[in-house]
Amino acid sequence: MAKAQIKVMDNGSFKVSGDVELIDMDGNVFETKPVFSLCRCGQSQKMPFCDASHKGKFASCVRAEKVLDEEEK
């Protein structure tokens, strides 16, 4: 199966895809689809999943630091 990937969406959720299992603190497994979104604004009524409650009320654009290889330095 595909490598797990978590994409930080601008002003929105964490988009999760690939071979991943989502569990709570007690070890109970959440039923998920091959691609799903997790809430990061805290406003969702479907926690831990995103229900788009953040639209127009949450702002966050996170970027990873770009690492230059030896040719770009």
Side-chain angles (χ1 to χ4, degrees):
M1 198 169 249
K3 177 179 166 183
Q5 182 181 62
I6 301 171
K7 185 174 184 180
V8 181
M9 305 301 290
D10 287 349
N11 304 320
S13 64
F14 292 115
K15 183 177 178 184
V16 182
S17 61
D19 188 15
V20 63
E21 183 176 53
L22 181 62
I23 59 172
D24 68 15
M25 288 298 296
D26 295 324
N28 301 306
V29 178
F30 287 95
E31 186 175 326
T32 60
K33 297 178 180 179
V35 177
F36 58 95
S37 294
L38 294 173
C39 176
R40 71 176 175 129
C41 73
Q43 299 178 52
S44 177
Q45 298 300 307
K46 298 168 116 182
M47 293 296 278
F49 302 101
C50 177
D51 68 359
S53 292
H54 63 270
K55 293 200 184 253
K57 304 176 204 161
F58 178 75
S60 180
C61 296
V62 179
R63 296 291 186 269
E65 184 176 326
K66 184 176 179 184
V67 178
L68 301 177
D69 63 25
E70 288 301 316
E71 292 178 11
E72 295 178 303
K73 289 182 183 179

